[in-house]
Amino acid sequence: MTTTRENPSAAFLLGGDLPVARLGFGAMRLPAREIAGPANDPETSAAVLRRAVELGVNHIDTAWFYFHDGLSANGLIRRVLHPYPEDLVQAVKVGPVRHPDGSWGAPAGPRELVAGVHRTLRELGQDRLDLVYLRLHEHDEAVAERFGALAALREEGLIRHLGLSNTTTGQLASAQRIAPVAAVQNMYGLFHRRHPEVLDACTRQGIAFVPFFSLESLGRPEPAEPLARIAARNGASPEQVKLAWTLARSPVVLAIPGTSSVAHVEDNIAAAELLLEPEDLAALDAVST
């Protein structure tokens, strides 16, 4: 896929009816910088969340397993933002089971998914969730049964739109035979372009593609060029260039960088105004993955 010079600040209609800014906020790092801890200062995390919304973020991504030492992303979101702005869209991931001590269990079955959605509604103080992702694993063979449980909640009016996270094109097609899929959330970034065929499928169908870890190199060494050169020429940070490149991959891409720093959230959101030149995009496209 070749990047395009789209306006990254343009809104996207999520699910065809929810207008969201293409640069949102991921809540994973609100409870702790790393999911295993240590815990963040709650007031600092509250300030990060508050600042993100002040800067125009209206798409927040959270999960029932984002917590540490009693501090949860869902709890912070409700404490800081409720009653919610009318245009705020909240996306929630469900599927992986995480126990109160932080340990992980087997993926949630249909009954656990239903119970977890009801719990999330209570945690966020909502009557309906805007978007619920079912988080999968590569060889998940129970997609239909588990996605079907969420589709039933959608029919009941408890969920507005459904999504898939960590999915393949085969799993996407399987889910679509049960209910519409409004968004896909997969790992994707400048230095780890996994599942490009999923991005292609989302682009063709107008499905939101929401990459996670888009700023990470996942332990690989990052080449200094051309990232540093392009950042310097644009008066931007390397992270802003990564986000601008990510948004330019397709008009269906919605970025959700997360942070536990007010300064970083300001830097990230400013990337929505960075429009890279075609030669910059071509140079970044050519960076080895």
Side-chain angles (χ1 to χ4, degrees):
M1 173 180 284
T2 302
T3 48
T4 58
R5 201 166 183 265
E6 300 282 348
N7 180 2
S9 61
F12 179 85
L13 277 180
L14 183 61
D17 62 355
L18 293 175
V20 294
R22 293 187 62 209
L23 207 155
F25 179 78
M28 185 181 75
R29 289 188 169 89
L30 287 178
R33 289 191 62 185
E34 304 295 335
I35 201 160
N40 290 333
D41 170 57
E43 295 312 311
T44 300
S45 294
V48 169
L49 188 57
R50 193 175 295 113
R51 185 60 176 148
V53 173
E54 289 173 353
L55 291 172
V57 163
N58 66 346
H59 172 208
I60 294 177
D61 181 86
T62 184
W64 67 8
F65 45 88
Y66 289 170
F67 63 84
H68 189 79
D69 282 353
L71 183 64
S72 73
N74 289 350
L76 277 166
I77 290 168
R78 181 173 184 174
R79 177 167 74 85
V80 174
L81 300 180
H82 195 276
Y84 300 114
E86 289 186 6
D87 66 341
L88 183 66
V89 173
Q90 297 181 63
V92 178
K93 287 184 293 296
V94 300
V97 171
R98 190 166 181 233
H99 302 300
D101 64 0
S103 62
W104 297 90
R111 288 186 179 180
E112 291 172 297
L113 288 171
V114 170
V117 166
H118 282 279
R119 183 177 71 245
T120 302
L121 285 164
R122 292 192 299 271
E123 289 173 345
L124 292 172
Q126 296 277 51
D127 296 322
R128 179 172 68 169
L129 299 175
D130 297 317
L131 172 63
V132 174
Y133 292 99
L134 175 60
R135 180 67 178 270
L136 304 173
H137 55 82
E138 187 174 0
H139 302 293
D140 199 324
E141 297 179 353
V143 176
E145 185 181 15
R146 297 167 71 216
F147 192 75
L150 297 178
L153 294 178
R154 175 177 172 269
E155 290 298 317
E156 292 178 28
L158 298 179
I159 296 173
R160 187 166 186 164
H161 293 298
L162 296 171
L164 294 173
S165 177
N166 208 35
T167 190
T168 65
T169 53
Q171 291 167 333
L172 172 59
S174 176
Q176 286 176 309
R177 288 191 284 270
I178 298 169
V181 174
V184 164
Q185 188 177 120
N186 275 20
M187 185 184 296
Y188 191 87
L190 179 61
F191 298 112
H192 50 88
R193 303 174 205 180
R194 299 183 179 182
H195 300 299
E197 71 284 357
V198 178
L199 174 54
D200 290 342
C202 289
T203 300
R204 288 194 305 271
Q205 300 180 54
I207 297 170
F209 183 86
V210 189
F212 62 86
F213 291 165
S214 58
L215 295 179
E216 308 296 330
S217 59
L218 303 182
R220 300 169 181 155
E222 294 187 5
E225 290 296 330
L227 188 60
R229 170 171 45 83
I230 293 171
R233 186 166 66 248
N234 285 276
S237 67
E239 288 72 25
Q240 288 174 325
V241 172
K242 290 180 188 178
L243 287 170
W245 175 87
T246 301
L247 289 171
R249 293 300 282 170
S250 167
V252 305
V253 169
L254 308 177
I256 49 164
T259 181
S260 56
S261 159
V262 171
H264 286 167
V265 82
E266 293 173 343
D267 188 71
N268 290 344
I269 293 170
E273 302 302 321
L274 177 58
L275 192 60
L276 297 175
E277 295 297 331
E279 57 267 30
D280 292 337
L281 292 171
L284 293 168
D285 288 347
V287 169
S288 172
T289 58

